[in-house]
Amino acid sequence: GAVVSQHPSWVICKSGTSVKIECRSLDFQATTMFWYRQFPKQSLMLMATSNEGSKATYEQGVEKDKFLINHASLTLSTLTVTSAHPEDSSFYICSASHVASGRPLTQYFGPGTRLLVL
Amino acid sequence: AQTVTQSQPEMSVQEAETVTLSCTYDTSESDYYLFWYKQPPSRQMILVIRQEAYKQQNATENRFSVNFQKAAKSFSLKISDSQLGDAAMYFCAYGSSNTGKLIFGQGTTLQVKP
């Protein structure tokens, strides 16, 4: 149980285009999904938290207009990198968790998406 | 603000031996969770073990166990009978019961020698 998928796993795009990454919880309903960014050999940096049906909460320093997050259902969240530039090239990871009795539970992670902007 | 510190950037262990990875954290919250995640070369984050702060008993999962010292804010991971497949980057993480967010340490790369 607790499987999270991400699509695509690899994407190469031209500078100035937009890229959408999907994150799905396959066998549970995710009340909360998180988006992280990770540079090689570094830790995960939280970008934003999204709750189903409400606006995402962005971490300090993360541009909300550049990284659009939508959490349309309890099993799907999307991250759109708008007008991508080479400095947006990175590894993006989503995670999903659900709440029981008012307590957030363990986060389960997707396999990640490697984005390369040329 | 909460912080998590992993002071060992790299560790190595001989196959079948035991290794301990260190983690300390700082928080003013009374209700929280602690986790160890493993990230192999595939970069898939895999949950290794989870500890609720209100539980005194140390969590164990097969060959993996933790030493949770709440007063010292220490949360180390012990891997027994190390296997080649244990080679990975290990992240200690603090989970806030308030926000559900995770705060990760810098990571420890574990090498397992045959």
Side-chain angles (χ1 to χ4, degrees):
Chain A
V3 178
V4 177
S5 70
Q6 239 179 285
H7 179 80
S9 56
W10 236 122
V11 58
I12 302 173
C13 70
K14 291 183 180 177
S15 189
T17 61
S18 294
V19 173
K20 182 188 280 190
I21 302 169
E22 289 188 349
C23 177
R24 293 180 187 272
S25 56
L26 298 185
D27 52 4
F28 67 100
Q29 293 190 322
T31 46
T32 307
M33 287 185 168
F34 302 84
W35 287 94
Y36 297 84
R37 186 172 179 175
Q38 186 183 32
F39 292 105
K41 303 200 180 202
Q42 292 188 25
S43 190
L44 280 70
M45 182 189 81
L46 180 65
M47 297 174 67
T49 303
S50 75
N51 292 293
E52 185 262 339
S54 59
K55 286 186 181 178
T57 305
Y58 290 81
E59 295 299 302
Q60 195 171 7
V62 177
E63 298 175 59
K64 7 180 123 172
D65 294 333
K66 174 153 207 61
F67 299 101
L68 299 178
I69 291 169
N70 183 272
H71 193 160
S73 76
L74 284 172
T75 58
L76 173 65
S77 175
T78 59
L79 167 68
T80 301
V81 183
T82 62
S83 187
H85 290 286
E87 57 266 28
D88 298 325
S89 299
S90 191
F91 189 64
Y92 293 88
I93 311 175
C94 73
S95 72
S97 71
H98 61 277
V99 174
S101 305
R103 300 173 69 83
L105 300 180
T106 302
Q107 286 185 32
Y108 294 95
F109 287 81
T113 298
R114 297 172 199 267
L115 170 63
L116 178 61
V117 185
L118 301 176
Chain B
Q2 296 82 30
T3 59
V4 178
T5 302
Q6 292 177 251
S7 57
Q8 306 153 316
E10 294 179 356
M11 292 281 285
S12 69
V13 63
Q14 209 67 36
E15 197 176 2
E17 297 293 305
T18 296
V19 65
T20 299
L21 308 184
S22 303
C23 173
T24 58
Y25 61 95
D26 192 24
T27 184
S28 56
E29 295 181 334
S30 57
D31 189 14
Y32 54 89
Y33 300 82
L34 295 164
F35 302 86
W36 279 96
Y37 283 91
K38 166 185 175 180
Q39 189 179 42
S42 67
R43 299 186 83 174
Q44 167 77 61
M45 293 286 284
I46 301 165
L47 175 67
V48 174
I49 202 162
R50 161 189 161 120
Q51 173 84 43
E52 286 88 349
Y54 64 85
K55 288 187 178 177
Q56 292 189 336
Q57 188 169 11
N58 289 324
T60 63
E61 281 291 340
N62 302 314
R63 297 182 295 108
F64 299 88
S65 62
V66 298
N67 183 0
F68 174 45
Q69 301 288 326
K70 191 170 183 179
K73 297 188 173 129
S74 167
F75 183 62
S76 60
L77 174 71
K78 184 169 91 171
I79 306 174
S80 305
D81 185 26
S82 296
Q83 300 175 359
L84 294 177
D86 295 334
M89 194 149 187
Y90 286 80
F91 290 101
C92 175
Y94 171 98
S96 170
S97 289
N98 225 10
T99 64
K101 293 181 185 180
L102 289 180
I103 297 162
F104 286 90
Q106 305 91 323
T108 297
T109 300
L110 177 67
Q111 182 185 25
V112 181
K113 296 178 181 176

